């Protein structure tokens, strides 16, 4: 199985901060890297697919980058509604594993 | 509106059987695979597997093979996840999700609201 490792596991940030979350795959996954946002008590929501393609309706302050095994999710200016847990997922090969999650909290 | 609507919360005893459902609407169910994702209490997301509602082809996470069964009834646009003998460790929230096509790198673009399964004696 391909292992996905996110860092950090949690972070505290203020409104307006630039936030970066990293995700590393245990082997190359081409561009099969997706990011999801999950708020407490809610289903996950697709933010970004194919490393950097923004899902329809997702604000442009979210962006993704990377290649091969190392990927990044960036929130350019953190808003109140962005406090949530973020998961990366590789969809290169089954089982299509998720990272362990990064919880973004208010400082 | 494209949506997936899941069946309601369940409370079961160890050893009991269970089948939960996920009904798609607003799109052609046979055009997209449906996946299942487990989230144990206060834990992360775990990919359980996917099913093609068109022909019931399935791909299971090897770690779960034999513990659950995925099925589908395309005539009513519904996918199912079932257990023959529940364990306390099956207690979790279960989400179904639509898998987008290869151009969307097989991402889960539409999610159900989740079904909470509690197994307790």
């Amino acid at each position: 199985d391909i292992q996905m490792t996110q860092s950090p596991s949690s972070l505290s940030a203020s409104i307006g901060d630039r936030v970066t979350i990293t995700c590393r795959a245990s082997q190359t996954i081409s561009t099969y890297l997706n990011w999801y946002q999950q708020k407490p008590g809610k289903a996950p929501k697709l933010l970004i697919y194919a490393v950097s393609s923004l899902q329809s309706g997702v604000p442009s302050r979210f962006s993704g980058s990377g290649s091969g095994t190392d990927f990044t999710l960036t929130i350019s200016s953190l808003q109140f509604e962005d406090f949530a847990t973020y998961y990366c997922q590789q969809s290169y090969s089954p089982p299509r594993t998720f990272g362990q999650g990064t919880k973004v909290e208010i400082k | 509106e494209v949506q997936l609507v899941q069946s309601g919360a369940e409370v079961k005893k160890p050893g009991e059987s269970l089948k939960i459902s996920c009904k798609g609407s607003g799109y052609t169910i046979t055009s997209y695979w449906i996946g299942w994702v487990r989230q144990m209490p206060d834990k992360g997301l775990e990919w359980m597997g996917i099913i093609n509602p068109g022909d019931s082809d399935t791909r299971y996470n090897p770690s779960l093979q034999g513990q659950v069964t995925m099925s589908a009834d395309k005539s009513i646009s519904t996918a199912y996840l079932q257990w023959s003998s529940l364990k306390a460790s099956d207690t979790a929230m279960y989400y179904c999700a639509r898998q987008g096509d290869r151009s969307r790198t097989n991402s889960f673009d539409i999610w159900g609201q989740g079904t909470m399964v509690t197994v307790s004696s």
Side-chain angles (χ1 to χ4, degrees):
Chain A
D1 298 1
I2 298 174
Q3 306 303 314
M4 305 299 291
T5 304
Q6 287 182 234
S7 60
S9 297
S10 64
L11 64 90
S12 295
S14 301
I15 301 295
D17 283 353
R18 182 181 182 88
V19 169
T20 299
I21 299 168
T22 64
C23 178
R24 174 166 288 177
S26 60
Q27 65 185 73
T28 185
I29 57 172
S30 185
T31 60
Y32 286 80
L33 190 282
N34 313 305
W35 289 97
Y36 301 85
Q37 176 194 65
Q38 187 179 32
K39 295 182 179 178
K42 299 293 187 182
K45 169 188 171 184
L46 177 65
L47 293 178
I48 289 172
Y49 61 94
V51 178
S52 59
S53 295
L54 221 56
Q55 174 70 347
S56 176
V58 174
S60 59
R61 63 181 179 273
F62 290 93
S63 63
S65 64
S67 64
T69 61
D70 294 305
F71 304 91
T72 299
L73 172 70
T74 298
I75 309 172
S76 60
S77 178
L78 196 67
Q79 301 301 303
F80 179 77
E81 58 267 30
D82 301 336
F83 291 97
T85 300
Y86 294 84
Y87 295 92
C88 62
Q89 182 211 18
Q90 66 82 15
S91 49
Y92 182 73
S93 69
R96 293 180 174 143
T97 41
F98 292 89
Q100 81 279 16
T102 296
K103 187 173 184 179
V104 176
E105 298 176 300
I106 301 174
K107 183 183 284 185
Chain B
E1 179 191 4
V2 175
Q3 61 179 349
L4 296 171
V5 178
Q6 297 185 231
S7 49
E10 302 274 2
V11 179
K12 292 289 190 179
K13 291 181 168 39
E16 292 185 330
S17 63
L18 176 64
K19 191 174 189 177
I20 63 174
S21 66
C22 168
K23 183 175 176 61
S25 62
Y27 75 101
T28 303
I29 192 76
T30 53
S31 296
Y32 299 85
W33 291 65
I34 292 286
W36 290 93
V37 175
R38 179 170 75 177
Q39 187 166 38
M40 293 175 155
D42 296 319
K43 299 295 184 185
L45 305 174
E46 182 179 12
W47 189 90
M48 300 180 71
I50 51 175
I51 182 166
N52 182 336
D55 61 8
S56 292
D57 188 16
T58 54
R59 304 281 188 275
Y60 289 96
N61 186 327
S63 69
L64 296 170
Q65 189 115 26
Q67 298 179 37
V68 295
T69 302
M70 297 176 193
S71 60
D73 184 341
K74 64 183 177 183
S75 69
I76 55 171
S77 302
T78 301
Y80 302 96
L81 182 66
Q82 69 181 89
W83 296 259
S84 59
S85 180
L86 286 159
K87 301 187 286 283
S89 57
D90 292 317
T91 295
M93 180 70 83
Y94 293 87
Y95 294 102
C96 65
R98 188 181 82 166
Q99 179 178 287
D101 59 30
R102 197 170 276 274
S103 69
R104 289 180 170 268
T105 57
N106 305 321
S107 56
F108 286 141
D109 62 354
I110 303 293
W111 291 69
Q113 82 277 20
T115 296
M116 183 67 207
V117 174
T118 303
V119 184
S120 174
S121 54

